[in-house]
């Protein structure tokens, strides 16, 4: 967050690029691609404790200066994230936080959303992630005080929660609590399928298997139907391409909660993401991409062979094991070939 009010650099080193840093030109290309794909690209600023610091009087001006730079690069929607920088509970800080958020939305509207402004030049509503995004971090009376302090903020601003806990799955109980605290509909930041703190894993199986594999998600039921959600945003994995598979599931669920079918959804995601000619092979290797591969078909075949061998080594057949290994090797070869393929799509 040290550079939250600084402009993007004109040049970066190859090493900086490898670690995900962007130049201003790269950011502009990203926003233009988003516009062409009809995607609302939201650029969020993280001013840290400066947002509530009582002694810093120029915070909004610094934020707006950065927003203006980003607007020039094509950004048409902004967020303010103040997560993980300490939760204020004192009345002056809480009031200042709400006042600054309200003032910032008004400043955006005054600058870019005046009557007569072309639709493509207008800026959509602010997105806000508060300090107490997981309400169980505080006692109920303090959580209520925190969230009620945000009630004066214009309703057009989306205010996010992760629910009771950081990794909560969207559910009606948490929404009821937060909607009551805030006094209107809250928005949901869903920390799925992210693996930021579970970096030894990737989540490319069906939704419920992913939930079981993710250490921090404690969820054993089915996704609820008919949830009333104002907005939902998703936190993907570090692996962008693979994230498309679980994101397919989230999109399907939020599009029509009543008819969400976990396995049908996952089966449909594979040809959509890796191409129909590669889908069966990718499905073959998914059990071996899981952290808990002891549940894979190969593990079962190995156990069967061991049991058979212990009973009678002479009659124990190794053929099922060889067949499964050959299937896995062939599937891996197909998927590996995608890396150097000249095909950009496979329908």
């Amino acid at each position: 967050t040290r550079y939250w009010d600084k402009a993007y650099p004109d040049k970066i080193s190859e090493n900086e690029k490898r670690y995900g840093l962007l130049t201003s030109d790269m950011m502009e290309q990203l926003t233009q691609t988003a516009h062409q794909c009809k995607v609302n690209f939201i650029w969020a600023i993280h001013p840290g404790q400066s947002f509530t610091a009582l002694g810093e009087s120029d915070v909004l001006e610094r934020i707006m200066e950065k927003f203006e730079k980003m607007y020039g690069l094509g950004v048409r929607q902004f967020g303010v994230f103040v997560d993980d920088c300490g939760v204020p509970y004192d009345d002056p800080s809480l009031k200042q936080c709400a006042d600054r958020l309200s003032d910032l939305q008004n400043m955006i509207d005054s600058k870019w959303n005046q009557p007569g402004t072309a639709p493509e030049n207008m800026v959509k509503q602010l997105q806000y992630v508060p300090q107490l995004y997981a309400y169980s971090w505080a006692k109920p009376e303090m959580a209520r005080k925190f969230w009620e302090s945000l009630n004066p903020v214009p309703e057009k601003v989306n205010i996010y929660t992760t629910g009771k806990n950081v990794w909560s799955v969207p559910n009606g109980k948490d929404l009821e609590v937060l909607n009551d605290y805030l006094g209107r509909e809250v928005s949901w930041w869903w920390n799925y399928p992210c693996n930021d703190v579970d970096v030894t894993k990737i989540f490319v199986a069906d939704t419920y298997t992913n939930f079981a594999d993710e250490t921090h998600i404690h969820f054993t039921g089915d996704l609820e139907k008919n949830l009333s959600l104002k907005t939902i945003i998703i936190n993907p994995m570090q692996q962008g391409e693979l994230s498309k598979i679980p994101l397919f599931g989230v999109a399907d669920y939020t599009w029509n909660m009543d008819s969400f079918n976990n396995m049908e959804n996952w089966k449909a995601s594979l040809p959509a993401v890796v191409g129909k000619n590669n889908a069966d092979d990718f499905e073959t290797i998914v059990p071996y991409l899981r952290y808990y591969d002891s549940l894979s078909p190969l593990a079962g075949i190995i156990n069967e062979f061991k049991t058979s061998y212990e009973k009678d080594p002479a009659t124990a057949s190794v053929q099922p094991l060889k067949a499964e290994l050959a299937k896995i090797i062939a599937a891996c070869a197909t998927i590996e070939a995608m890396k150097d393929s000249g095909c950009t799509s496979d329908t």
Side-chain angles (χ1 to χ4, degrees), residues 56-293:
E56 296 193 38
S57 58
D58 64 342
V59 172
L60 294 186
E61 287 72 19
R62 290 160 65 192
I63 290 176
M64 283 298 294
E65 286 178 9
K66 184 63 175 282
F67 281 179
E68 288 178 32
K69 291 183 176 71
M70 302 311 300
Y71 185 92
L73 298 178
V75 176
R76 293 296 183 269
Q77 189 163 20
F78 298 103
V80 175
F81 292 1
V82 287
D83 53 306
D84 301 331
C85 63
V87 181
Y89 293 110
D90 61 287
D91 291 338
S93 294
L94 291 175
K95 183 178 186 307
Q96 176 154 275
C97 197
D99 287 346
R100 282 181 169 169
L101 186 57
S102 300
D103 290 344
L104 186 59
Q105 179 63 71
N106 292 332
M107 292 167 76
I108 287 172
D109 289 339
S110 177
K111 185 170 186 63
W112 290 303
N113 295 335
Q114 290 298 304
T117 303
E120 65 271 17
N121 293 327
M122 299 182 78
V123 172
K124 297 178 176 65
Q125 73 269 32
L126 268 173
Q127 313 293 300
Y128 181 66
V129 177
Q131 299 92 337
L132 188 66
Y133 51 87
Y135 70 86
S136 65
W137 289 351
K139 293 181 178 180
E141 60 270 20
M142 295 306 295
R144 176 177 289 278
K145 177 182 178 181
F146 178 92
W147 281 87
E148 282 185 345
S149 73
L150 294 170
N151 183 261
V153 173
E155 288 197 23
K156 69 188 297 185
V157 177
N158 278 336
I159 302 177
Y160 288 89
T161 180
T162 60
K164 183 178 181 180
N165 301 303
V166 177
W167 305 87
S168 296
V169 173
N171 65 89
K173 182 178 179 180
D174 285 354
L175 287 170
E176 183 178 354
V177 170
L178 268 301
N179 290 344
D180 177 53
Y181 286 172
L182 183 60
R184 63 176 189 267
E185 273 196 311
V186 72
S187 298
W188 197 287
W189 177 296
W190 192 358
N191 276 316
Y192 171 77
C194 84
N195 56 356
D196 293 14
V197 294
D198 223 347
V199 294
T200 58
K201 301 173 186 173
I202 56 175
F203 306 113
V204 291
D206 63 276
T207 300
Y208 295 146
T209 296
N210 290 338
F211 287 172
D213 286 355
E214 166 56 78
T215 301
H216 303 277
I217 294 177
H218 302 287
F219 186 84
T220 56
D222 291 339
L223 288 168
E224 293 184 28
K225 303 180 185 299
N226 294 318
L227 280 183
S228 178
L229 276 168
K230 182 179 182 183
T231 307
I232 185 168
I233 57 176
I234 307 302
N235 192 1
M237 294 184 285
Q238 299 294 313
Q239 296 77 18
E241 286 298 317
L242 291 181
S243 291
K244 293 177 181 178
I245 294 171
L247 294 185
F248 188 104
V250 171
D252 190 24
Y253 168 64
T254 54
W255 181 261
N256 192 335
M257 296 179 182
D258 282 346
S259 64
F260 177 75
N261 182 296
N262 178 48
M263 290 308 298
E264 285 183 6
N265 159 270
W266 182 66
K267 293 274 190 179
S269 75
L270 300 184
V273 175
V274 302
K276 67 179 182 180
N277 292 333
N278 305 315
D280 289 343
D281 287 307
F282 192 82
E283 183 175 348
T284 294
I285 68 172
V286 163
Y288 309 103
L289 298 176
R290 293 180 59 197
Y291 186 83
Y292 302 103
D293 60 1

Side-chain angles (χ1 to χ4, degrees), residues 6-66:
K6 308 300 182 188
Y8 278 80
D10 294 328
K11 295 181 180 179
I12 56 174
S13 67
E14 284 301 316
N15 195 48
E16 288 173 327
K17 184 177 180 180
R18 188 165 66 90
Y19 281 100
L21 274 69
L22 300 174
T23 65
S24 57
D25 287 343
M26 293 164 69
M27 180 59 68
E28 185 171 22
Q29 182 181 20
L30 180 60
T31 62
Q32 294 307 315
T33 300
H35 293 320
Q36 292 167 9
C37 296
K38 310 299 183 185
V39 170
N40 289 339
F41 176 81
I42 303 169
W43 185 88
I45 200 166
H46 199 306
Q49 293 181 336
S50 297
F51 199 68
T52 54
L54 299 176
E56 296 193 38
S57 58
D58 64 342
V59 172
L60 294 186
E61 287 72 19
R62 290 160 65 192
I63 290 176
M64 283 298 294
E65 286 178 9
K66 184 63 175 282

